[in-house]
Amino acid sequence: MLYAVLCYNDEKLVSAWTQEEDDACMVRLGAVQETMKAKNKLGPVVRLQNTDTATTLRKTSGAPVVLDGPFAETKEQFLGFYVVDCDTREEAIQFARDLSAANPDGGAYEIRPLRIYNPV
C-alpha cells in the first residue's frame, strides 16, 4: 500500500536554523530515507519552499480567485511529504517515527493511504 507521510512544523522555527543545523537535519533525514530506499519502498520526497512563496487558487462559485500565500493560517505549516510503499499501516507509522526522531524540533507527521486514479 502506498502512503503519503505529510510533514508539518513551525516554518518560522525551521527557517531560523543555521545552514549547519539545516544540513545536519537533512543528513539525519537522509539516513532514514536510505533505509526505505534500500528496501525499494521510497517514492518521491519533497521539501516545499516557504509559504510566502505560495499561491492559492480558490473557487466556490463563479470564476476562481488567485491569492498570494497559503489558504490557512495555522501554527504548523505543511513543509513537505514522502511517498512510501509499506506492507502495513504500522510500517508507515514507524517510518514517520523515524523521521520524527531525526528532526530536532519535532513537528507532526500525518500518515494517509494513497489512492491512485491514473498511475504512470
Side-chain angles (χ1 to χ4, degrees):
M1 160 96 33
L2 292 175
Y3 290 88
V5 179
L6 310 176
C7 307
Y8 297 88
N9 208 330
D10 180 341
E11 180 178 83
K12 289 179 184 173
L13 179 71
V14 173
S15 294
W17 291 347
T18 65
Q19 187 62 53
E20 292 79 19
E21 291 170 321
D22 190 73
D23 291 346
C25 184
M26 292 300 107
V27 167
R28 289 189 302 273
L29 291 170
V32 175
Q33 294 167 23
E34 194 56 42
T35 301
M36 293 299 272
K37 186 177 178 184
K39 299 176 195 174
N40 206 26
K41 293 184 169 211
L42 184 65
V45 175
V46 176
R47 185 176 188 185
L48 300 173
Q49 292 192 25
N50 287 356
T51 55
D52 63 2
T53 66
T55 300
T56 299
L57 187 139
R58 181 168 177 82
K59 180 180 180 196
T60 53
S61 64
V65 176
V66 177
L67 308 167
D68 288 336
F71 176 69
E73 292 291 328
T74 61
K75 182 178 176 185
E76 295 177 325
Q77 290 74 39
F78 178 41
L79 300 185
F81 66 90
Y82 295 81
V83 175
V84 292
D85 187 2
C86 296
D87 295 328
T88 65
R89 178 176 173 265
E90 290 71 28
E91 183 182 11
I93 291 170
Q94 185 57 53
F95 177 68
R97 280 190 181 115
D98 295 343
L99 292 172
S100 178
N103 188 333
D105 292 318
Y109 298 85
E110 181 180 345
I111 300 110
R112 295 178 67 174
L114 295 178
R115 291 185 210 161
I116 296 180
Y117 295 107
N118 190 12
V120 178

